[in-house]
Amino acid sequence: MREKIEKALQSIRPALQMDGGDVELVDVVEGVVRVRLKGACGGCPMSQITLTRGVEQAIKKEVPEVKKVEAV
């Protein structure tokens, strides 16, 4: 599962990096994915939208068994 999640993150990473940010996989526990938004994404007021509409959607599309994605 972790490899599939990393693959999904690779698909969205270029868009985040264009805006000076990035995402890092921290942990996966019982279908809950924990990620860290880095760079410009870490302090951006739109980071929650980026997390749910960008990162979470990309991960769930690749790995449907994921229940939710949280920022840590």
Side-chain angles (χ1 to χ4, degrees):
M1 179 189 280
R2 194 172 182 93
E3 288 178 17
K4 289 182 181 180
I5 293 169
E6 285 286 2
K7 182 180 174 186
L9 292 177
Q10 289 297 334
S11 73
I12 194 155
R13 191 166 272 131
L16 297 173
Q17 290 173 341
M18 282 178 37
D19 289 330
D22 205 348
V23 64
E24 170 189 3
L25 178 60
V26 175
D27 201 7
V28 181
V29 180
E30 297 179 11
V32 177
V33 177
R34 294 189 176 105
V35 297
R36 180 173 294 116
L37 295 173
K38 298 166 52 176
C41 291
C44 175
M46 301 296 282
S47 64
Q48 189 59 40
I49 293 170
T50 299
L51 182 68
T52 57
R53 294 193 183 160
V55 177
E56 186 172 47
Q57 282 183 358
I59 291 173
K60 285 184 172 181
K61 181 179 177 184
E62 189 74 29
V63 191
E65 57 268 27
V66 167
K67 296 174 188 167
K68 75 178 197 174
V69 177
E70 299 176 340
V72 293

